[in-house]
């Protein structure tokens, strides 16, 4: 999930940077601010559940939930690495400009590699072992059009080719050769490429409402809240019950949480969009 999110996010941002005037500033506002607000709301929900379960209010847990030094159980690292990628992309794009996309991607990748090395000194591998999928998605936007056209002409071989790439990516991601964080990043890129080619082999003339929702805010809310039901079940010892029952409870409750939170986030997004309109455009 994370590898494909970073890959598709990089693809979409590169598309917007090259085709929408002034889009670079939107990486900071409202995009950056929107994610921060949504993330704080999610952490607050985890914090409320934590207080109810443990019958105590510990504000250090809430503050810790914002930078992962906590017992809240929320998936913080993914959000923080996404925000870091946006900031680095913004700075690199301002310095290189629209007319030099390859230099932009090279500079972005270089800074991310240095960041991976530094962050890995103080954080676990999972913080940085997928983030290079972000610039890989940007590069794919520049070079992937011809390949996609070829894949659509040869569906069966392309599906087999995509599956092989996903398997290769998964195997490489699981290797622990030195330096494993870069090996895992490469495996994540191969998996994301395979997934892109696999779904690109089909025609999605009328995508389902579920896919549209998932491609919008759905993936974010699902990822943010999928651990909350498990946290509750673990507290009451129900996680050791029948595996099928546990999975049913987790999936159904996560879906309900994602739908409710998605509606809240959507209203916040509309508010931020209104606030981001300049006075000259509003008249």
């Amino acid at each position: 999930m994370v590898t494909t999110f970073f890959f598709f996010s990089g693809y979409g941002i590169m598309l917007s940077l090259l085709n929408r005037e002034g889009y670079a500033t939107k990486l900071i506002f409202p995009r950056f601010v929107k994610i921060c607000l949504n993330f704080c709301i999610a952490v607050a929900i985890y914090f409320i559940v934590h207080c109810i379960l443990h019958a105590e209010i510990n504000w250090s847990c809430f503050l810790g939930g914002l930078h992962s030094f906590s017992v809240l159980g929320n998936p913080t690292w993914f959000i923080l690495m996404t925000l870091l990628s946006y900031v680095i992309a913004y700075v690199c794009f301002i310095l290189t400009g629209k007319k030099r996309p390859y230099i932009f991607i090279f500079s972005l990748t270089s800074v991310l590699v240095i960041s991976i090395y530094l962050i890995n000194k103080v954080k676990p591998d999972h913080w940085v072992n997928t983030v290079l999928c972000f610039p890989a998605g940007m590069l794919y936007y520049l070079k992937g059009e011809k390949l996609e056209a070829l894949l659509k002409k040869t569906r069966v071989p392309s599906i087999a080719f995509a599956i092989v790439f996903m398997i290769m990516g998964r195997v490489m991601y699981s290797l622990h050769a030195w330096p494993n964080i870069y090996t895992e990043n490469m495996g994540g890129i191969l998996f994301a490429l395979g997934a892109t080619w696999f779904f690109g082999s089909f025609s999605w003339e009328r995508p389902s409402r579920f896919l549209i929702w998932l491609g919008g805010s759905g993936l974010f809310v699902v990822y943010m809240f999928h651990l909350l039901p498990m946290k509750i079940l673990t507290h009451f010892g129900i996680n050791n019950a029948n595996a099928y029952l546990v999975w049913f409870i987790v999936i159904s409750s996560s879906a309900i949480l994602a739908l409710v939170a998605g509606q809240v986030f959507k209203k916040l997004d509309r508010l931020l969009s209104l606030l981001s309109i300049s006075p000259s455009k509003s008249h």
Side-chain angles (χ1 to χ4, degrees), residues 48-56 228 231-233 235-236:
I48 292 172
V49 172
H50 177 82
C51 292
I52 294 173
L53 294 179
H54 297 277
E56 65 174 2
L228 189 57
K231 176 182 176 67
I232 297 173
L233 294 178
H235 178 79
F236 291 104

Side-chain angles (χ1 to χ4, degrees), residues 24-37:
T25 57
K26 292 186 177 181
L27 286 176
I28 303 301
F29 189 91
R31 194 181 188 102
F32 185 96
V33 177
K34 178 182 72 175
I35 293 179
C36 286
L37 284 176

Side-chain angles (χ1 to χ4, degrees), residues 30-263:
R31 194 181 188 102
F32 185 96
V33 177
K34 178 182 72 175
I35 293 179
C36 286
L37 284 176
N38 293 348
F39 176 55
C40 288
I41 292 173
V43 172
I45 293 174
Y46 273 88
F47 176 67
I48 292 172
V49 172
H50 177 82
C51 292
I52 294 173
L53 294 179
H54 297 277
E56 65 174 2
I57 299 178
N58 188 345
W59 290 105
S60 62
C61 288
F62 176 76
L63 296 176
L66 299 176
H67 57 77
S68 83
F69 293 106
S70 73
V71 293
L72 293 182
N74 54 299
T76 305
W77 69 271
F78 165 69
I79 305 301
L80 295 183
M81 290 307 301
T82 300
L83 295 176
L84 177 64
S85 300
Y86 288 171
V87 172
I88 296 174
Y90 171 76
V91 174
C92 291
F93 189 80
I94 294 300
L95 294 176
T96 59
K98 180 190 293 189
K99 296 182 179 180
R100 294 175 289 184
Y102 293 103
I103 296 178
F104 160 64
I105 294 175
F106 176 78
S107 61
L108 170 63
T109 304
S110 300
V111 177
L112 282 176
V113 168
I114 296 172
S115 302
I116 288 172
Y117 176 78
L118 296 176
I119 293 173
N120 194 234
K121 293 289 185 180
V122 294
K123 294 292 185 181
D125 287 357
H126 69 263
W127 272 68
V128 291
N129 63 4
T130 54
V131 72
L132 289 183
C133 293
F134 182 66
M138 293 183 169
L139 183 61
Y140 188 79
Y141 170 75
L142 296 177
K143 305 297 292 185
E145 184 177 349
K146 293 182 179 179
L147 181 59
E148 288 179 356
L150 177 62
L151 291 175
K152 290 181 180 179
K153 291 180 180 179
T154 56
R155 176 173 297 181
V156 174
S158 67
I159 292 175
F161 189 62
I163 293 174
V164 169
F165 255 69
M166 285 191 286
I167 294 174
M168 287 174 56
R170 187 66 186 89
V171 171
M172 184 173 290
Y173 186 84
S174 302
L175 293 177
H176 294 288
W178 184 91
N180 64 324
I181 50 174
Y182 299 109
T183 304
E184 291 168 353
N185 269 282
M186 183 57 66
I189 292 172
L190 291 177
F191 183 87
L193 281 173
T196 303
W197 294 339
F198 180 82
F199 291 106
S201 302
F202 301 92
S203 297
W204 301 93
E205 297 178 358
R206 297 185 62 186
S208 66
R209 293 177 62 184
F210 172 75
L211 289 177
I212 295 174
W213 172 77
L214 196 63
S217 62
L219 187 61
F220 174 85
V221 292
V222 168
Y223 191 81
M224 281 305 304
F225 290 105
H226 77 284
L227 293 178
L228 189 57
M230 184 58 70
K231 176 182 176 67
I232 297 173
L233 294 178
T234 301
H235 178 79
F236 291 104
I238 306 176
N239 60 309
N240 296 321
N242 183 276
Y244 295 104
L245 176 62
V246 170
W247 275 109
F248 173 78
I249 295 174
V250 170
I251 293 174
S252 58
S253 55
S254 296
I256 294 172
L257 281 169
L259 290 173
V260 174
Q263 292 301 314

